[in-house]
PDB file of all heavy atoms in Angstrom:
ATOM      1  N   THR A 356     -93.732 -19.402  63.319  1.00  0.00           N
ATOM      2  CA  THR A 356     -94.781 -20.304  62.813  1.00  0.00           C
ATOM      3  C   THR A 356     -96.128 -19.783  63.324  1.00  0.00           C
ATOM      4  O   THR A 356     -96.283 -19.417  64.498  1.00  0.00           O
ATOM      5  CB  THR A 356     -94.563 -21.722  63.297  1.00  0.00           C
ATOM      6  OG1 THR A 356     -93.264 -22.155  62.909  1.00  0.00           O
ATOM      7  CG2 THR A 356     -95.571 -22.686  62.720  1.00  0.00           C
ATOM      8  N   VAL A 357     -97.128 -19.803  62.438  1.00  0.00           N
ATOM      9  CA  VAL A 357     -98.441 -19.263  62.759  1.00  0.00           C
ATOM     10  C   VAL A 357     -99.518 -20.189  62.239  1.00  0.00           C
ATOM     11  O   VAL A 357     -99.335 -20.900  61.260  1.00  0.00           O
ATOM     12  CB  VAL A 357     -98.603 -17.848  62.157  1.00  0.00           C
ATOM     13  CG1 VAL A 357     -98.556 -17.890  60.654  1.00  0.00           C
ATOM     14  CG2 VAL A 357     -99.878 -17.184  62.658  1.00  0.00           C
ATOM     15  N   SER A 358    -100.688 -20.200  62.909  1.00  0.00           N
ATOM     16  CA  SER A 358    -101.805 -21.024  62.461  1.00  0.00           C
ATOM     17  C   SER A 358    -103.117 -20.359  62.826  1.00  0.00           C
ATOM     18  O   SER A 358    -103.213 -19.587  63.793  1.00  0.00           O
ATOM     19  CB  SER A 358    -101.742 -22.407  63.102  1.00  0.00           C
ATOM     20  OG  SER A 358    -101.867 -22.318  64.511  1.00  0.00           O
ATOM     21  N   ALA A 359    -104.135 -20.638  62.015  1.00  0.00           N
ATOM     22  CA  ALA A 359    -105.538 -20.290  62.281  1.00  0.00           C
ATOM     23  C   ALA A 359    -105.765 -18.804  62.580  1.00  0.00           C
ATOM     24  O   ALA A 359    -106.197 -18.403  63.651  1.00  0.00           O
ATOM     25  CB  ALA A 359    -106.072 -21.136  63.448  1.00  0.00           C
ATOM     26  N   ILE A 360    -105.498 -17.971  61.553  1.00  0.00           N
ATOM     27  CA  ILE A 360    -105.740 -16.537  61.679  1.00  0.00           C
ATOM     28  C   ILE A 360    -106.837 -16.125  60.713  1.00  0.00           C
ATOM     29  O   ILE A 360    -106.660 -16.225  59.494  1.00  0.00           O
ATOM     30  CB  ILE A 360    -104.445 -15.723  61.377  1.00  0.00           C
ATOM     31  CG1 ILE A 360    -103.298 -16.229  62.261  1.00  0.00           C
ATOM     32  CG2 ILE A 360    -104.713 -14.247  61.609  1.00  0.00           C
ATOM     33  CD1 ILE A 360    -103.532 -16.087  63.742  1.00  0.00           C
ATOM     34  N   PRO A 361    -107.965 -15.624  61.213  1.00  0.00           N
ATOM     35  CA  PRO A 361    -109.039 -15.176  60.324  1.00  0.00           C
ATOM     36  C   PRO A 361    -108.588 -13.956  59.509  1.00  0.00           C
ATOM     37  O   PRO A 361    -107.622 -13.283  59.833  1.00  0.00           O
ATOM     38  CB  PRO A 361    -110.161 -14.790  61.305  1.00  0.00           C
ATOM     39  CG  PRO A 361    -109.847 -15.540  62.559  1.00  0.00           C
ATOM     40  CD  PRO A 361    -108.356 -15.587  62.628  1.00  0.00           C
ATOM     41  N   PRO A 362    -109.314 -13.644  58.437  1.00  0.00           N
ATOM     42  CA  PRO A 362    -108.971 -12.481  57.606  1.00  0.00           C
ATOM     43  C   PRO A 362    -108.971 -11.187  58.415  1.00  0.00           C
ATOM     44  O   PRO A 362    -109.828 -10.971  59.262  1.00  0.00           O
ATOM     45  CB  PRO A 362    -110.086 -12.459  56.540  1.00  0.00           C
ATOM     46  CG  PRO A 362    -110.604 -13.849  56.515  1.00  0.00           C
ATOM     47  CD  PRO A 362    -110.479 -14.393  57.904  1.00  0.00           C
ATOM     48  N   TRP A 363    -107.973 -10.346  58.136  1.00  0.00           N
ATOM     49  CA  TRP A 363    -107.839  -9.011  58.687  1.00  0.00           C
ATOM     50  C   TRP A 363    -107.531  -8.992  60.189  1.00  0.00           C
ATOM     51  O   TRP A 363    -107.547  -7.931  60.814  1.00  0.00           O
ATOM     52  CB  TRP A 363    -109.092  -8.152  58.400  1.00  0.00           C
ATOM     53  CG  TRP A 363    -109.538  -8.284  56.986  1.00  0.00           C
ATOM     54  CD1 TRP A 363    -110.695  -8.895  56.564  1.00  0.00           C
ATOM     55  CD2 TRP A 363    -108.853  -7.873  55.814  1.00  0.00           C
ATOM     56  NE1 TRP A 363    -110.760  -8.883  55.187  1.00  0.00           N
ATOM     57  CE2 TRP A 363    -109.633  -8.232  54.694  1.00  0.00           C
ATOM     58  CE3 TRP A 363    -107.635  -7.210  55.595  1.00  0.00           C
ATOM     59  CZ2 TRP A 363    -109.260  -7.990  53.396  1.00  0.00           C
ATOM     60  CZ3 TRP A 363    -107.257  -6.953  54.284  1.00  0.00           C
ATOM     61  CH2 TRP A 363    -108.081  -7.364  53.207  1.00  0.00           C
ATOM     62  N   LYS A 364    -107.212 -10.132  60.757  1.00  0.00           N
ATOM     63  CA  LYS A 364    -106.834 -10.205  62.160  1.00  0.00           C
ATOM     64  C   LYS A 364    -105.296 -10.127  62.316  1.00  0.00           C
ATOM     65  O   LYS A 364    -104.547 -10.527  61.426  1.00  0.00           O
ATOM     66  CB  LYS A 364    -107.337 -11.501  62.796  1.00  0.00           C
ATOM     67  CG  LYS A 364    -108.854 -11.544  62.961  1.00  0.00           C
ATOM     68  CD  LYS A 364    -109.286 -10.647  64.087  1.00  0.00           C
ATOM     69  CE  LYS A 364    -110.779 -10.848  64.413  1.00  0.00           C
ATOM     70  NZ  LYS A 364    -111.187 -10.052  65.582  1.00  0.00           N
ATOM     71  N   SER A 365    -104.870  -9.645  63.466  1.00  0.00           N
ATOM     72  CA  SER A 365    -103.454  -9.475  63.738  1.00  0.00           C
ATOM     73  C   SER A 365    -103.032 -10.383  64.902  1.00  0.00           C
ATOM     74  O   SER A 365    -103.831 -10.637  65.796  1.00  0.00           O
ATOM     75  CB  SER A 365    -103.177  -8.013  64.110  1.00  0.00           C
ATOM     76  OG  SER A 365    -101.804  -7.773  64.306  1.00  0.00           O
ATOM     77  N   VAL A 366    -101.774 -10.841  64.851  1.00  0.00           N
ATOM     78  CA  VAL A 366    -101.314 -11.804  65.854  1.00  0.00           C
ATOM     79  C   VAL A 366     -99.845 -11.543  66.184  1.00  0.00           C
ATOM     80  O   VAL A 366     -99.051 -11.222  65.313  1.00  0.00           O
ATOM     81  CB  VAL A 366    -101.492 -13.273  65.390  1.00  0.00           C
ATOM     82  CG1 VAL A 366    -100.795 -13.486  64.055  1.00  0.00           C
ATOM     83  CG2 VAL A 366    -101.029 -14.267  66.426  1.00  0.00           C
ATOM     84  N   TRP A 367     -99.523 -11.664  67.463  1.00  0.00           N
ATOM     85  CA  TRP A 367     -98.127 -11.681  67.918  1.00  0.00           C
ATOM     86  C   TRP A 367     -97.629 -13.125  67.893  1.00  0.00           C
ATOM     87  O   TRP A 367     -98.271 -14.015  68.443  1.00  0.00           O
ATOM     88  CB  TRP A 367     -97.988 -11.126  69.311  1.00  0.00           C
ATOM     89  CG  TRP A 367     -98.015  -9.641  69.417  1.00  0.00           C
ATOM     90  CD1 TRP A 367     -99.022  -8.855  69.887  1.00  0.00           C
ATOM     91  CD2 TRP A 367     -96.953  -8.753  69.069  1.00  0.00           C
ATOM     92  NE1 TRP A 367     -98.686  -7.538  69.841  1.00  0.00           N
ATOM     93  CE2 TRP A 367     -97.398  -7.446  69.354  1.00  0.00           C
ATOM     94  CE3 TRP A 367     -95.680  -8.934  68.550  1.00  0.00           C
ATOM     95  CZ2 TRP A 367     -96.614  -6.323  69.139  1.00  0.00           C
ATOM     96  CZ3 TRP A 367     -94.866  -7.803  68.355  1.00  0.00           C
ATOM     97  CH2 TRP A 367     -95.361  -6.501  68.632  1.00  0.00           C
ATOM     98  N   ILE A 368     -96.463 -13.370  67.277  1.00  0.00           N
ATOM     99  CA  ILE A 368     -95.886 -14.694  67.197  1.00  0.00           C
ATOM    100  C   ILE A 368     -94.494 -14.637  67.850  1.00  0.00           C
ATOM    101  O   ILE A 368     -93.743 -13.693  67.663  1.00  0.00           O
ATOM    102  CB  ILE A 368     -95.695 -15.171  65.745  1.00  0.00           C
ATOM    103  CG1 ILE A 368     -96.912 -14.816  64.901  1.00  0.00           C
ATOM    104  CG2 ILE A 368     -95.424 -16.670  65.693  1.00  0.00           C
ATOM    105  CD1 ILE A 368     -96.659 -14.945  63.406  1.00  0.00           C
ATOM    106  N   LEU A 369     -94.165 -15.692  68.620  1.00  0.00           N
ATOM    107  CA  LEU A 369     -92.847 -15.771  69.242  1.00  0.00           C
ATOM    108  C   LEU A 369     -91.946 -16.707  68.407  1.00  0.00           C
ATOM    109  O   LEU A 369     -92.402 -17.707  67.884  1.00  0.00           O
ATOM    110  CB  LEU A 369     -92.971 -16.314  70.663  1.00  0.00           C
ATOM    111  CG  LEU A 369     -93.964 -15.581  71.569  1.00  0.00           C
ATOM    112  CD1 LEU A 369     -93.957 -16.198  72.975  1.00  0.00           C
ATOM    113  CD2 LEU A 369     -93.645 -14.094  71.637  1.00  0.00           C
ATOM    114  N   GLU A 370     -90.675 -16.348  68.322  1.00  0.00           N
ATOM    115  CA  GLU A 370     -89.737 -17.127  67.522  1.00  0.00           C
ATOM    116  C   GLU A 370     -89.657 -18.555  68.034  1.00  0.00           C
ATOM    117  O   GLU A 370     -89.587 -18.790  69.252  1.00  0.00           O
ATOM    118  CB  GLU A 370     -88.345 -16.464  67.577  1.00  0.00           C
ATOM    119  CG  GLU A 370     -87.463 -16.778  66.387  1.00  0.00           C
ATOM    120  CD  GLU A 370     -86.759 -18.090  66.523  1.00  0.00           C
ATOM    121  OE1 GLU A 370     -86.434 -18.471  67.662  1.00  0.00           O
ATOM    122  OE2 GLU A 370     -86.486 -18.776  65.499  1.00  0.00           O
ATOM    123  N   GLU A 371     -89.663 -19.505  67.130  1.00  0.00           N
ATOM    124  CA  GLU A 371     -89.857 -20.913  67.532  1.00  0.00           C
ATOM    125  C   GLU A 371     -88.675 -21.499  68.292  1.00  0.00           C
ATOM    126  O   GLU A 371     -88.819 -22.522  68.977  1.00  0.00           O
ATOM    127  CB  GLU A 371     -90.206 -21.782  66.331  1.00  0.00           C
ATOM    128  CG  GLU A 371     -89.135 -21.996  65.320  1.00  0.00           C
ATOM    129  CD  GLU A 371     -89.539 -22.992  64.246  1.00  0.00           C
ATOM    130  OE1 GLU A 371     -90.737 -23.075  63.896  1.00  0.00           O
ATOM    131  OE2 GLU A 371     -88.671 -23.660  63.738  1.00  0.00           O
TER     132      GLU A 371
END
Side-chain angles (χ1 to χ4, degrees):
T356 305
V357 63
S358 64
I360 306 299
W363 314 112
K364 290 286 189 176
S365 184
V366 57
W367 281 106
I368 318 165
L369 307 182
E370 205 277 328
E371 68 175 31

